[in-house]
Amino acid sequence: MNGKSIAAALAAVALGGCMTTTRDTVPATTTASADSIDARVAALLARMSVEDKVAQLVMPDIASITSDDVRRYRFGTILNGGNSGPGGNDKAPAAEWLKLADAMWEASTAPRDDGRPVVPLLWATDAVHGHNNIPGATVFPHNIGLGAAGDVDLVRRIGQATAAEIAATGIDWTFAPTLAVTRDDRWGRTYESYAEEPELVARLGMALVEGLQGRQGTPEFLDQRRVIATAKHFFADGGTGGIDQGDARGDVDELIALHATPYIPSIDAGVQSVMASFSSINGEKLHGSRAMLTDLLRGQMKFDGLTVGDWNGHGQLPGCSNADCPDALLAGLDVYMVPEDWRGLHASLVEQVASGKVPMARLDKAAGRVLALKLRYGLMTKPRPSERTLGGRFETLGSPEHRAIGREAVRKSLVLLKNDGVLPIKSSARILVAGAGADNIAQQAGGWSISWQGGGDLTNADFPGATSIYRGIADALAQGGGRATLSADGRYSERPDAAIVVFGEPPYAEFSGDRRDLAYRDATSLALMQKLRGDGIPVVAVFLSGRPMWVNPLLEASDAFVAAWLPGSEGGGVADVLIGDSAARPRHDFTGRLSFTWPADCAQPVNNDGARTALFARGTGYGYTAPPPRRTFATECALTDNAAQDSVPLFDRRVGDQTRFAATDPGGVAPLDNFLGRSTQGTLIVRGIDRNAQEDARAIRWTAPADLTVHLPPLAQALPERAVLVIEYRVDRRPVAPVTLSGRGQPLSLAEALTIAEAKGWRDLRIPLACLGPDTPGSLTLHSEAAFAMEVSALRIEAGTGPQTEDCSVR
Ligand code: BGC
Ligand code: BGC
């Protein structure tokens, strides 16, 4: 790649007025004099040891450090991952976050008697749709909804509100905005993306940066009400063919034009950090790409803040491990996100500086960037977190003002795709509110909400102050003399005037959300809608999803259809648009417009490459003044049933399509969304753990008799004879009571296999389905009679590999 063509690509995509192509400013330093910051950085560096400087580059997770570690190592920065919270509790209340922030700050500023400088640490979090890790915070719609709203001023206000909520808990920095331009909606992070086109991503991303950090060149920039923003994940994370952490392939200049140019307005707005993407460009991982991290980002794009790696992203470079990776630093990465292996990484970097493998100049440059950021942010003179302007102002979290912004965002993000006249609903009407998503705040919030994956065992109680979609409808109807009745399964005793059915994707984050296709399969909601309509009740469908999906059967089965994305905590915004006054005059019209193409065909995943015919083109959005045309929707799906497929994944980093997990104990049956969560009485708990990648495996723990059931997808049931269930697993301690697997026949004992496997590490268990009974089962159930624990990293059914003769001695 040559520099000229990069410059040309950058210039060619200078968009409207908002993208400057004059790349000769040094944006991040314009408020405090650059000279004085440089001089102060140099003075600090001169007093720091190599160990101190390296510590500025090491970002551990709060789950893996104590304040003593901080006092000893003096890390420059720390983070809380999506599943980490104070004291190991990711549902900890705000006060505990602030207490931990104080403790960490105090440890990092403990006096030193050897003349080495005292440099406070910075704490970073993933506040990606509000301060979403904290119970009671305002949870805004995920970016895909904000893309549909398309309102720059709104996004700026969301940034400002989020900054205030973060500051209240004593945290300094958020890993947002995501500037991904998602080109294939099968990607599990599609909802983190504002749009499939760079222009809108650029404008809204810049607005969030301005809201979070304040406007550069004004006194509000990085003042005590603001936090540090991160543009991520640099770059082309959305160009990997729908595969998380994948490879974006193609002409580099075209990739830059599409995926890197949205960073320009954010850089111009003074964004202080950029996160490297896990993904690769033409086979080269971004974490190790000097061409991209240094030549492009620094050289061409003139970014002078700091670059931070993603979660052990450096460890994925060839020849690297989480604890040893000079190549990332040499390529231009400044801060390593190294949640657990910080001790080893610190030691290896110190040694590599001593041996000359890492030049001192490179170390100084990287550490200097961390220090410069701290100076610009005023950290050296800020008091402890709880004593800062907003520190401890917990009333900021979920304040009425912030919730009002959230509700406005929800209202503006809704996209009306169909309305045969049922909307708006009169506020005097009697409405049945049905569907699994109707009174389910965890589902409407999606991933990155309290926990990393969201959903699972979260209940409405985990979102204090939030409003479910049902609650918002009930409130609106109560005002007009109408009434809402909640019934998740749609049964009713008194015939309603209309039904609103809320349904959609269960929560997921990152690779857990990657899909093979975009066909939305939900026989339950479809049957429910068809039944209601059969009863002559008009049906309004409210679809919760992180992406457009092929939903034609549901469009066909409804009288009105609203794409509501992942609206977050302020579900009342849905009723604002659906429910009119008592004369059915709308209180608000729909203004949302698709920022993604809606697929016309269930087998057609790719956007924008010219190959895709849209059911609804990007920009579509109807409303009361511009109603959608009446039409019919073709409901056939061309996806074959893949009878020839030789392996059907049930779990492979993520749950397989149309596969469902559930846990049963004496308290009843509990669904395990994402193969995570707990049984009703908590006797069976499934947690995410790391085998080769983050949360790519599951720890399953029984404390008393309980069943783990996997409902097989039709594909697995259609596999020919001699199919085999393969379980990749590990057992630390053999079971003390029977453990069995059953399908349609006699339970099969796994005792021998699990005993042999004890403490032997990861291995495979292969069980011919024929051993589970004569007929192909619809589900498989793993039962333990007593306390037992095992880990599973993959579950699949392979066709035709079973033994000819039945050998059912499983070992
Ligand atoms: C953490 C997340 C992180 C993920 C890495 C999880 O265990 O909680 O914050 O993003 O791993 O993919
Ligand atoms: C994600 C990032 C996130 C980081 C920290 C990673 O897994 O890719 O988006 O900022 O974890 O939680």
Side-chain angles (χ1 to χ4, degrees):
M1 177 189 38
N2 72 58
K4 251 223 201 91
S5 61
I6 294 174
L10 290 174
V13 193
L15 301 163
C18 81
M19 282 205 180
T20 337
T21 43
T22 336
R23 316 291 322 138
D24 53 8
T25 48
V26 188
T29 51
T30 49
T31 47
S33 141
D35 285 353
S36 84
I37 286 192
D38 286 352
R40 291 169 67 195
V41 165
L44 283 168
L45 285 172
R47 290 164 52 213
M48 289 167 80
S49 65
V50 168
E51 285 79 3
D52 285 345
K53 293 176 190 174
V54 167
Q56 291 298 312
L57 313 189
V58 172
M59 176 186 271
D61 186 280
I62 58 164
S64 307
I65 49 166
T66 62
S67 50
D68 284 341
D69 295 326
V70 173
R71 195 170 299 110
R72 161 134 190 251
Y73 280 88
R74 310 280 169 150
F75 306 113
T77 64
I78 58 175
L79 90 148
N80 67 283
N83 284 336
S84 314
N89 176 11
D90 65 356
K91 298 182 185 175
E96 283 179 38
W97 294 78
L98 182 65
K99 215 160 101 204
L100 184 63
D102 271 356
M104 292 301 181
W105 182 90
E106 263 152 34
S108 77
T109 55
R112 304 173 104 177
D113 50 19
D114 53 8
R116 283 147 70 184
V118 165
V119 182
L121 55 65
L122 288 170
W123 178 344
T125 191
D126 289 287
V128 297
H129 61 145
H131 196 11
N132 44 58
N133 283 295
I134 314 292
T138 315
V139 181
F140 295 97
H142 269 298
N143 289 347
I144 193 167
L146 300 181
D151 182 334
V152 166
D153 175 65
L154 170 67
V155 173
R156 196 181 293 118
R157 286 181 286 128
I158 289 174
Q160 187 173 346
T162 304
E165 298 201 12
I166 297 171
T169 57
I171 297 176
D172 307 285
W173 176 2
T174 176
F175 295 132
T178 294
L179 298 183
V181 176
T182 299
R183 306 298 282 180
D184 186 325
D185 312 346
R186 291 176 302 178
W187 189 34
R189 307 190 79 151
T190 301
Y191 65 78
E192 294 187 54
S193 179
Y194 293 109
E196 65 186 17
E197 279 297 308
E199 199 266 347
L200 191 55
V201 172
R203 284 198 291 133
L204 298 183
M206 179 187 78
L208 194 80
V209 169
E210 285 187 342
L212 289 166
Q213 298 193 348
R215 286 198 215 218
Q216 190 173 229
T218 72
E220 70 186 27
F221 188 63
L222 295 180
D223 75 6
Q224 296 228 14
R225 297 173 179 277
R226 311 290 171 150
V227 297
I228 296 161
T230 307
K232 74 183 187 185
H233 311 82
F234 191 76
F235 73 94
D237 49 348
T240 58
I243 296 169
D244 194 44
Q245 308 192 10
D247 187 16
R249 305 200 66 86
D251 178 77
V252 171
D253 290 339
E254 282 173 19
L255 290 171
I256 289 172
L258 197 53
H259 299 283
T261 52
Y263 286 76
I264 297 174
S266 285
I267 293 173
D268 287 343
V271 71
Q272 295 291 305
S273 65
V274 166
M275 186 185 291
S277 180
F278 276 128
S279 57
S280 307
I281 291 188
N282 292 322
E284 188 189 29
K285 293 248 174 213
L286 267 308
H287 277 70
S289 175
R290 164 177 273 281
M292 300 305 167
L293 292 183
T294 299
D295 302 345
L296 174 64
L297 182 60
R298 306 255 179 224
Q300 302 288 324
M301 297 174 75
K302 297 283 183 263
F303 173 65
D304 85 332
L306 71 77
T307 51
V308 57
D310 204 342
W311 189 271
N312 283 328
H314 59 276
Q316 298 186 8
L317 297 184
C320 282
S321 69
N322 296 345
D324 182 0
C325 191
D327 290 358
L329 182 57
L330 295 173
L333 192 81
D334 298 319
V335 172
Y336 291 77
M337 189 188 293
V338 54
E340 290 133 16
D341 299 305
W342 48 270
R343 214 183 290 271
L345 185 75
H346 186 273
S348 63
L349 280 170
V350 166
E351 190 199 297
Q352 284 143 9
V353 173
S355 75
K357 168 123 204 177
V358 170
M360 186 66 83
R362 177 68 196 112
L363 175 64
D364 283 350
K365 190 92 202 156
R369 288 204 180 108
V370 182
L371 297 172
L373 169 55
K374 293 179 176 182
L375 291 168
R376 290 195 289 265
Y377 177 63
L379 185 67
M380 309 299 269
T381 51
K382 275 191 176 142
R384 66 168 52 74
S386 61
E387 288 167 9
R388 298 178 194 167
T389 308
L390 293 180
R393 299 276 303 274
F394 299 131
E395 71 280 9
T396 314
L397 288 156
S399 70
E401 297 75 28
H402 293 175
R403 291 195 187 278
I405 298 171
R407 183 164 174 166
E408 173 189 345
V410 173
R411 198 198 302 144
K412 290 180 168 173
S413 67
L414 304 177
V415 181
L416 180 68
L417 297 177
K418 175 175 181 176
N419 183 14
D420 291 350
V422 56
L423 291 177
I425 288 169
K426 270 196 233 159
S427 60
S428 56
R430 285 160 314 148
I431 299 298
L432 181 73
V433 187
D439 192 31
N440 189 336
I441 295 169
Q443 186 174 357
Q444 73 193 38
W448 297 107
S449 301
I450 306 297
S451 63
W452 176 41
Q453 293 291 325
D457 66 352
L458 297 176
T459 67
N460 287 0
D462 292 311
F463 298 86
T467 304
S468 73
I469 292 174
Y470 156 70
R471 176 50 52 204
I473 293 168
D475 291 349
L477 292 173
Q479 282 168 30
R483 201 178 64 236
T485 308
L486 176 66
S487 164
D489 65 9
R491 268 181 292 196
Y492 58 88
S493 45
E494 201 183 313
R495 187 190 163 79
D497 298 326
I500 298 176
V501 183
V502 189
F503 61 96
E505 291 190 291
Y508 53 79
E510 301 187 40
F511 46 79
S512 311
D514 285 0
R515 300 180 53 100
R516 222 169 32 191
D517 59 66
L518 288 177
Y520 177 73
R521 302 168 172 94
D522 179 356
T524 313
S525 304
L526 182 60
L528 167 59
M529 287 163 56
Q530 286 167 339
K531 149 99 177 39
L532 290 167
R533 269 190 130 193
D535 295 351
I537 299 167
V539 171
V540 178
V542 175
F543 182 49
L544 299 171
S545 72
R547 53 188 137 212
M549 298 186 80
W550 185 81
V551 287
N552 283 15
L554 296 117
L555 272 160
E556 201 45 32
S558 59
D559 301 280
F561 195 102
V562 178
W565 315 110
L566 299 169
S569 60
E570 303 317 303
V574 174
D576 287 345
V577 187
L578 265 48
I579 315 289
D581 62 17
S582 55
R585 273 185 310 255
R587 292 178 299 156
H588 292 276
D589 203 349
F590 289 88
T591 54
R593 302 276 173 271
L594 294 178
S595 61
F596 283 82
T597 309
W598 200 283
D601 184 310
C602 72
Q604 205 178 356
V606 179
N607 310 330
N608 279 318
D609 65 349
R612 181 170 181 169
T613 52
L615 183 67
F616 301 109
R618 193 169 63 241
T620 301
Y622 303 104
Y624 296 127
T625 43
R630 280 186 187 247
R631 60 194 279 194
T632 54
F633 299 91
T635 56
E636 314 73 58
C637 177
L639 285 180
T640 63
D641 67 2
N642 287 15
Q645 183 154 338
D646 45 356
S647 171
V648 178
L650 306 175
F651 175 74
D652 181 15
R653 299 187 73 182
R654 66 176 194 89
V655 172
D657 291 343
Q658 288 179 283
T659 306
R660 284 178 301 112
F661 287 85
T664 310
D665 67 12
V669 185
L672 298 174
D673 290 343
N674 258 328
F675 192 10
L676 286 171
R678 56 200 303 148
S679 62
T680 313
Q681 297 180 347
T683 47
L684 172 62
I685 298 183
V686 183
R687 281 184 310 111
I689 53 164
D690 300 356
R691 178 180 173 186
N692 299 313
Q694 308 88 333
E695 295 211 11
D696 61 342
R698 298 291 181 261
I700 308 168
R701 192 160 56 85
W702 284 261
T703 49
D707 287 350
L708 172 68
T709 300
V710 50
H711 296 276
L712 304 179
L715 269 185
Q717 298 174 45
L719 285 179
E721 285 163 42
R722 297 206 290 132
V724 174
L725 171 70
V726 182
I727 309 178
E728 290 177 16
Y729 74 112
R730 187 172 87 162
V731 173
D732 285 340
R733 220 163 309 142
R734 68 184 67 186
V736 294
V739 175
T740 58
L741 182 74
S742 41
R744 280 242 162 86
Q746 280 292 334
L748 185 72
S749 169
L750 300 186
E752 191 185 356
L754 297 175
T755 301
I756 296 174
E758 178 174 19
K760 298 223 178 64
W762 291 99
R763 43 205 285 141
D764 285 3
L765 193 56
R766 304 178 62 85
I767 303 167
L769 286 189
C771 297
L772 299 172
D775 305 316
T776 321
S779 65
L780 299 172
T781 295
L782 187 61
H783 173 85
S784 176
E785 254 318 290
F788 175 58
M790 68 187 292
E791 296 174 357
V792 169
S793 65
L795 265 179
R796 65 180 169 274
I797 292 187
E798 289 180 2
T801 55
Q804 291 283 5
T805 54
E806 268 183 31
D807 171 10
C808 295
S809 57
V810 180
R811 44 184 302 165

